[in-house]
Amino acid sequence: MPAIVIKDYSWRQTSEFVILNVPLKGHPKKVDLFVIDNYVKISFPPFILELFLWANVVEKESKCTLTEEEAIVALHKTNTNLEWPTLEVQDINNDFKRDCRTQALEHAQKLAEENMKLKSEKRQYLQKEAVKEQISVNTATLNKIDAIRDAHRREAMQEFEDWRSKAELPFLSNVEGEVQENRKAYKPPLKWFKDNDNVLKSRPMTEEEIFNGSNTIKEFKSKAVDNQKIIEVQSININQENNLQIEVSEKRDDSLINKNNTSCSQDSDSDSDTVKATNKKDLSKVYEKQQKRRPGLEAVEAAIQGKILKRNNIFEEPSKSVPLPRKTGTINVTFSERKFPTPARESSHVEEQEWLQKQVEARRKIGFNTEDLRQEERDPQWLKDKGDDFFKVGNYLAAISAYTCGIKISDKMASLYVNRSAAHYALGNYYRCVEDCSKALELMEPKCESNRESRAKCHARRGAALCKLSAPQHGIPELEAALELTPNNESIKRDVLAAKQYFDVKD
């Protein structure tokens, strides 16, 4: 659209300013003002005012005031107290105007770059100052924290020094104590059975490491010899009387398990007293009780006699300990083919077959599958033509599928929505028809002569679909809008009359 040059403006001057009164026509919402040196441009489409001033002006000191009727521009003179004979330079040609515009744009661009550079430098300076200020604040905070920590540390150290000075004083200095013997000194365990060399095995440590005196060593050796004699007496008694042998062995086991902290001499004395005090009848009763109370006496007797008790244990024979490996085999599992994710026991075979049959019939009717398209066929225009071919032969489902595939590729093509609305209307999908018509009308912007026929079709089809949906208050105005776009269309005229007669709408 060509611009309209404003000529009905007025101007006046003072010693410092040149004042322009420019009328604002059409109540514009936005007015652009560009002032640089001797060039002034005021524009609010479609109006424009371009002035080539007689002298230069200062842009930063100039002002502009907007009212409802006019724009008042006060231009500050570069040379004050200088009278301008005219507002513009007289007798200029188009080349001079073009040069002035070019110089003004270059000067404006240079000023914009300088302003941007100054803003960038100012921003960097402010950022540096902000960082310095933040560092100073953080330093002050850290110093304060260190001072508090040092104060607490000094206070704690002072309390510790006070406590230490008091703790070093002697406590109960008038009371004298006696040094007691350590009752929890280490005492090595003894083995009560002889090895093959008939020598008692002791702990593999030197006597100096274990004991702290020769008297203790001698006492330990005497006790070990006494215990060895007691064991020999018991073995003799075992050969004479079996019951007595079991009782002694049981006593010896109990003394070893339950009296680990007692001395060896006490155990040997108690065992010897038990041997002297018991008789055959008492030993038999004790043996019966011990046999009932504690299993595994045969193993104990065999161990005392130096025999090995053999048992039927699979782990003693390597051939029986590890089972033979299993033979390898293959299990073939076959599954019946199913179209549904549910198992066969949870499905209804009759309903499934009916559904599959309907799907096959629907695909046969459509005759269009997007998966079968080649790369060169994935084009919206080709898909539109394919949908038109399906629509002409009455295969509306295939036409909808082709249009939908084209819309997925390019959703800004209005003709795809227009043609798909026709297919939906033919199938009775009136809601979908209304949606496609509305979308097509949104895309047909701006409204011009080239899309007038398409807009009329959309309005007519949307009005017919709304009438089918029993909404004549919306459908009849759509039909009338279509008739306004194409006044000579007889088909739309008949549709308007038929809709008004059916719904009994009077003009």
Side-chain angles (χ1 to χ4, degrees), residues 372-433:
D372 298 336
L373 294 177
R374 296 188 298 272
Q375 188 65 31
E376 61 271 12
E377 294 176 349
R378 297 182 182 275
D379 179 66
Q381 187 61 40
W382 185 89
L383 292 169
K384 175 185 173 298
D385 297 339
K386 190 69 175 178
D388 295 343
D389 295 339
F390 285 128
F391 187 85
K392 290 178 183 178
V393 298
N395 193 351
Y396 304 117
L397 291 175
I400 291 173
S401 298
Y403 295 142
T404 304
C405 184
I407 290 171
K408 289 180 180 179
I409 298 173
S410 176
D411 57 350
K412 302 299 181 183
M413 193 170 178
S415 58
L416 291 172
Y417 291 99
V418 175
N419 295 358
R420 193 173 71 170
S421 66
H424 280 305
Y425 186 86
L427 291 175
N429 301 330
Y430 300 119
Y431 285 106
R432 300 288 180 84
C433 177

Side-chain angles (χ1 to χ4, degrees), residues 32-46:
D32 294 329
L33 176 63
F34 180 74
V35 178
I36 190 77
D37 293 340
N38 63 338
Y39 179 76
V40 177
K41 181 180 179 182
I42 303 173
S43 63
F44 46 96

Side-chain angles (χ1 to χ4, degrees), residues 1-12:
M1 181 181 294
I4 301 174
V5 180
I6 300 174
K7 295 184 178 180
D8 53 346
Y9 64 91
S10 60
W11 74 285
R12 57 189 176 87

